[in-house]
Amino acid sequence: MRVVVHPRRTAETRQGGDWRQLRETIRLLGDHRIEARISTKTDEDLSGTDVCLIWNSVSPDAALAYYRNARAQGTPVALMPFYWKLERFWETFGSWPSRRTRKINALGSGANRSEYFRNQAALVQGADLLFANSQAEADLLAEEYSIDRQSIRVVWNGVSADMALGNATRFRSTWRAVIGDREFLACIARVAPRKNQLGLLLALRHDSRVLVLVGAGASDPYATECRRVSSMRRDVIFVGQQGHDAVADVLAAARAHVLVSRYDVAPLVTLEAAIAGLPQVAPVESGARDYLGDSAWYADPDDHDGIRRAIDAAWSSPKQVDLARRARTEFTWQRTARELAEALWAIA
């Protein structure tokens, strides 16, 4: 089978979890007799293509162009929307406008919001096959767009096993001058409104624990405000964007991990923290609970007291050995590729 995969247009230049998931999955689709190639051309020639797979419709105008091109050429369409509740989606980007989010802000204002929903509905309702990364996302899509739940295939996200092999000593050696031997709380995510580091910092403004923020975003207004707020307390450390091995080292060295996104889908970092056995606070506005169950603590992004309570519980908890074992066996890229391939073969 031949599949053309259309990611968001900025996927390669501004890489995120969706891009990582795509690359890891495509790498293994060949094991299931699927030849997949990536294209960001909205007029892609789909001759000889069995399925067009649209990977991310957070910006539905671009995704809709891919969709219409496939329909014009008679090619079946599968959609992986990466969809979550839009109320906080709009709140997040509307509160922190930037060059990157200007188009999203415009779509979320006034009558344009109706256009956004119409475009999403055209994609979600028109696709021959619809994927979700959790049952929670599947239920949300079914509810908001009146889709039969049985028509949505849940494809679980994966995690690389080597995220459990980080070197805590190496991390501490690199950052000894600022962290020393102290235990610390880690937050691994791009410093951005959606990931809600500002809410985390406000929740911990009177807390004395060391907080290590790992992720890009050093110069935009949101990151600048995060740094301003962080200066009001001691022991907030920004280490910037780190490579794969360095992130594993952070997870090996941290006492707990926290992510309190304003919206997410199935955040990879929660699975990375899980496979490393870290106690963690995960975002309630995501499908994370479907993966972590009762082995994590959850916090509303706007509830500062709740964030602190969840962090206290994770901080005082031992390593999550059972969750780490389950992550190694259940949440693999091989499983992701297999589930995706089985569904694609069904419509080819």
Side-chain angles (χ1 to χ4, degrees):
M1 183 200 306
R2 293 178 179 172
V3 176
V4 169
V5 186
H6 290 304
R8 56 183 169 85
R9 291 177 180 172
T10 59
E12 291 191 70
T13 56
R14 191 163 63 87
Q15 298 182 8
D18 61 333
W19 177 249
R20 172 80 179 281
Q21 183 181 356
L22 173 57
R23 296 297 301 178
E24 294 288 351
T25 304
I26 282 183
R27 180 175 60 86
L28 296 166
L29 283 179
D31 295 342
H32 302 275
R33 298 176 292 120
I34 295 178
E35 177 187 326
R37 63 184 178 88
I38 296 172
S39 171
T40 55
K41 293 172 60 178
T42 56
D43 60 350
E44 180 67 40
D45 181 0
L46 299 175
S47 301
T49 299
D50 297 294
V51 179
C52 170
L53 173 56
I54 301 172
W55 197 272
N56 198 327
S57 63
V58 171
S59 295
D61 52 345
L64 197 57
Y66 296 138
Y67 173 83
R68 288 170 174 161
N69 181 58
R71 283 287 180 249
Q73 298 183 54
T75 305
V77 175
L79 173 66
M80 178 85 77
F82 293 93
Y83 189 82
W84 198 251
K85 298 176 184 178
L86 289 172
E87 288 80 3
R88 278 173 167 162
F89 177 98
W90 302 122
E91 290 173 10
T92 296
F93 287 108
S95 300
W96 288 94
S98 70
R99 180 179 56 82
R100 281 206 313 263
T101 62
R102 186 161 47 237
K103 182 177 287 188
I104 295 174
N105 291 335
L107 285 170
S109 61
N112 289 331
R113 189 176 298 201
S114 297
E115 178 186 353
Y116 184 97
F117 278 102
R118 283 196 302 271
N119 289 346
Q120 281 285 8
L123 288 162
V124 170
Q125 295 171 347
D128 298 290
L129 181 62
L130 189 61
F131 293 115
N133 275 164
S134 68
Q135 188 59 51
E137 183 189 359
D139 292 344
L140 186 63
L141 285 164
E143 179 181 343
E144 295 201 355
Y145 294 99
S146 302
I147 298 169
D148 182 355
R149 283 170 170 78
Q150 300 303 314
S151 68
I152 306 172
R153 296 291 297 270
V154 174
V155 174
W156 297 98
N157 217 339
V159 62
S160 299
D162 60 1
M163 295 307 294
L165 304 177
N167 187 320
T169 301
R170 182 168 56 198
F171 176 81
R172 289 195 173 279
S173 176
T174 302
W175 294 95
R176 185 165 301 280
V178 289
I179 298 177
D181 293 321
R182 293 175 295 173
E183 294 184 302
F184 66 90
L185 178 70
C187 175
I188 303 172
R190 173 182 287 273
V191 181
R194 179 165 71 90
K195 298 299 184 178
N196 196 37
Q197 285 91 348
L198 185 56
L200 174 61
L201 287 164
L202 290 171
L204 295 178
R205 61 190 179 277
H206 301 305
D207 197 286
S208 61
R209 285 171 287 205
V210 178
L211 173 63
V212 175
L213 298 173
V214 183
S219 59
D220 66 35
Y222 183 81
T224 299
E225 178 64 8
C226 285
R227 288 182 178 275
R228 186 191 70 79
V229 171
S230 73
S231 68
M232 298 179 184
R233 54 155 289 188
R234 298 176 55 192
D235 298 328
V236 177
I237 300 160
F238 292 79
V239 303
Q241 186 172 5
Q242 301 293 310
H244 183 82
D245 291 345
V247 169
D249 291 349
V250 173
L251 293 173
R255 177 159 172 171
H257 182 265
V258 56
L259 181 67
V260 287
S261 305
R262 293 185 63 77
Y263 77 94
D264 234 313
V265 182
L268 272 178
V269 71
T270 62
L271 296 186
E272 291 171 346
I275 204 169
L278 267 188
Q280 63 176 306
V281 177
V284 69
E285 291 292 352
S286 75
R289 191 182 294 271
D290 286 358
Y291 292 80
L292 308 178
D294 295 332
S295 297
W297 291 263
Y298 302 89
D300 184 287
D302 294 321
D303 182 358
H304 294 169
D305 289 339
I307 292 172
R308 284 194 300 274
R309 288 193 299 271
I311 289 172
D312 288 344
W315 185 267
S316 62
S317 178
K319 286 279 188 178
Q320 300 294 298
V321 177
D322 289 342
L323 176 60
R325 186 182 301 112
R326 186 163 66 86
R328 285 196 300 273
T329 57
E330 293 186 18
F331 304 122
T332 66
W333 293 120
Q334 288 78 9
R335 176 187 178 181
T336 302
R338 182 182 71 252
E339 291 177 345
L340 188 69
E342 288 173 353
L344 290 173
W345 272 109
I347 66 165

